[in-house]
């Protein structure tokens, strides 16, 4: 919905079952979303919580975003 905020986080090395990289898929989803949206792309962050393991500062970035939406 237009009043909702959405944060997309995806990595180029996260290949989905369709054969597409998650960062490209997130980009398409982001374009289709109305309202406030943020996208964070990584090259080598993996999938899910692996992003936080490989990039610990990303957790702080997420918290900062949540505090301001």
């Amino acid at each position: 919905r237009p009043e909702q905020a959405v944060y997309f986080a995806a990595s180029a090395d996260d290949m989905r079952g369709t054969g597409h990289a998650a960062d490209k898929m997130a980009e398409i989803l982001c374009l289709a979303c109305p309202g406030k949206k943020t996208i964070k792309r990584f090259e080598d962050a993996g999938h899910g919580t692996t992003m936080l393991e490989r990039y610990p500062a990303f957790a702080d970035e997420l918290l900062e975003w949540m505090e301001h939406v």
Side-chain angles (χ1 to χ4, degrees):
R1 295 185 300 196
E3 67 275 10
Q4 291 179 311
V6 180
Y7 193 107
F8 294 91
S11 185
D13 68 340
D14 181 9
M15 297 304 291
R16 311 313 300 147
T18 61
H20 297 91
D23 67 328
K24 298 298 181 192
M25 293 175 71
E27 186 176 306
I28 292 167
L29 289 171
C30 189
L31 290 173
C33 267
K36 183 177 178 154
K37 51 197 168 193
T38 301
I39 187 165
K40 174 75 172 189
R41 293 180 192 90
F42 294 97
E43 288 297 319
D44 59 353
H47 179 80
T49 58
T50 304
M51 292 178 182
L52 300 171
E53 292 169 5
R54 293 184 184 169
Y55 293 89
F58 181 48
D60 292 332
E61 186 176 325
L62 285 172
L63 291 172
E64 179 76 18
W65 180 83
M66 285 189 273
E67 289 176 355
H68 293 96
V69 291

